[in-house]
Amino acid sequence: MDTKKKPLFVAFSSQKGGVGKSTFTTLVASTMHYRLGYNVAVFDADFRKHSLLKMKTVNWQLEMKKKL
């Protein structure tokens, strides 16, 4: 897939809470970045919980430990 010339937008949504949207989004974004080499931006529309920011912080800390 040639995405170097134009951005690719992917969205995950569900009306029900607690179905794993944030977890799934974090896993997909991490896989696309660390394994496939894509530049990834994630926007969390659930601003009250900040769950994606918390998960990304844990993911970043684990990646930094691997590099040491």
Side-chain angles (χ1 to χ4, degrees):
M1 174 169 34
D2 182 21
T3 59
K4 292 181 181 181
K5 295 183 182 179
K6 53 186 169 180
L8 172 67
F9 295 93
V10 179
F12 304 107
S13 66
S14 175
Q15 292 179 332
K16 184 179 180 319
V19 296
K21 295 180 296 287
S22 296
T23 302
F24 188 71
T25 300
T26 301
L27 291 171
V28 170
S30 294
T31 300
M32 289 179 73
H33 178 71
Y34 293 114
R35 293 193 179 187
L36 301 177
Y38 288 98
N39 291 325
V40 177
V42 176
F43 297 93
D44 188 358
D46 191 4
F47 61 91
R48 292 184 204 143
K49 292 187 180 181
H50 303 290
S51 52
L52 281 176
L53 179 61
K54 291 173 190 171
M55 281 188 230
K56 184 58 188 163
T57 301
V58 170
N59 184 289
W60 181 80
Q61 290 170 347
L62 290 172
E63 286 299 319
M64 290 300 109
K65 285 182 183 178
K66 287 180 187 177
K67 292 181 180 182
L68 294 177

